[in-house]
Amino acid sequence: MTVLTNTLVFLATLAGMELFAWWAHKHVMHGWGWGWHRSHHEPRTGWFEKNDLYAVVFAGVAILLIALGTAGYGPLEWIGAGMTAYGFLYFVAHDGLVHHRWPLRYVPRKGYLKRLYQAHRLHHAVEGKERCVSFGFLYAPPLPVLKQQLRELHDGPLHKTNAKPDGDVSRGNQGAA
């Protein structure tokens, strides 16, 4: 394959992973896979949480695709590379920026990163797996849209004892999705 084709496959996979992640987060993690994902919506007591098993599964798939691709099976190597790049961006934005799972404790004050941060916080403003908003990891709808969705899903304003007026939610030592 040409460099251009490989690059396009890589970039398409990277973009497509956000769509897949949104679907998996909404329908798997907040559905039949809640048993693993629940740990992510509760205060973390150690370095790892059961939800991290999803990262292990997706990394295994990416490794397999890269191995098959290097063995001559079409563009699979570049699909696996796109998945790996998405996983890295997820780790930086979601685990690092939002959940503070690594030493940097930066809280964005403006722009895209602030919207992403607040959207993930709104996702965790709801206890349990039902009636949540904002299931993407690297794309966040505008905050007024998410707040309106929350009002519609909960028949009015969301009342939670640890919710702050700006939509930020305190979650002990973990932060929010």
Side-chain angles (χ1 to χ4, degrees):
M1 295 184 104
T2 68
V3 172
L4 177 61
T5 302
N6 292 340
T7 302
L8 290 175
V9 168
F10 172 84
L11 293 174
T13 301
L14 183 62
M17 281 302 298
E18 177 65 4
L19 296 173
F20 173 77
W22 176 92
W23 178 87
H25 188 194
K26 182 171 178 123
H27 298 288
V28 175
M29 295 175 189
H30 279 254
W32 58 266
W34 180 249
W36 285 5
H37 190 60
R38 174 182 298 145
S39 66
H40 184 65
H41 285 262
E42 297 171 344
R44 189 173 358 94
T45 57
W47 183 255
F48 294 102
E49 54 191 43
K50 203 171 191 180
N51 183 67
D52 293 334
L53 293 171
Y54 283 113
V56 172
V57 169
F58 294 136
V61 171
I63 291 167
L64 177 63
L65 290 172
I66 291 169
L68 290 171
T70 57
Y73 291 96
L76 297 181
E77 175 181 8
W78 297 102
I79 293 170
M83 289 176 68
T84 301
Y86 182 85
F88 174 76
L89 292 173
Y90 168 90
F91 173 72
V92 170
H94 184 261
D95 285 352
L97 177 70
V98 176
H99 290 287
H100 303 289
R101 290 185 69 181
W102 34 274
L104 180 63
R105 297 278 191 239
Y106 174 71
V107 177
R109 302 285 181 223
K110 61 183 178 178
Y112 163 76
L113 291 179
K114 178 180 179 180
R115 185 170 98 183
L116 185 66
Y117 181 84
Q118 289 180 327
H120 284 340
R121 294 295 200 153
L122 287 174
H123 175 76
H124 280 272
V126 176
E127 293 183 24
K129 68 178 187 173
E130 304 294 332
R131 302 184 304 163
C132 295
V133 296
S134 189
F135 290 93
F137 293 112
L138 299 178
Y139 169 76
L143 293 178
V145 170
L146 294 175
K147 289 177 181 181
Q148 178 62 34
Q149 288 174 353
L150 275 173
R151 281 191 293 276
E152 290 170 3
L153 289 168
H154 295 272
D155 299 321
L158 185 62
H159 298 288
K160 189 172 180 183
T161 56
N162 59 347
K164 296 179 182 175
D166 65 354
D168 198 7
V169 177
S170 298
R171 289 190 49 218
N173 66 349
Q174 184 176 353

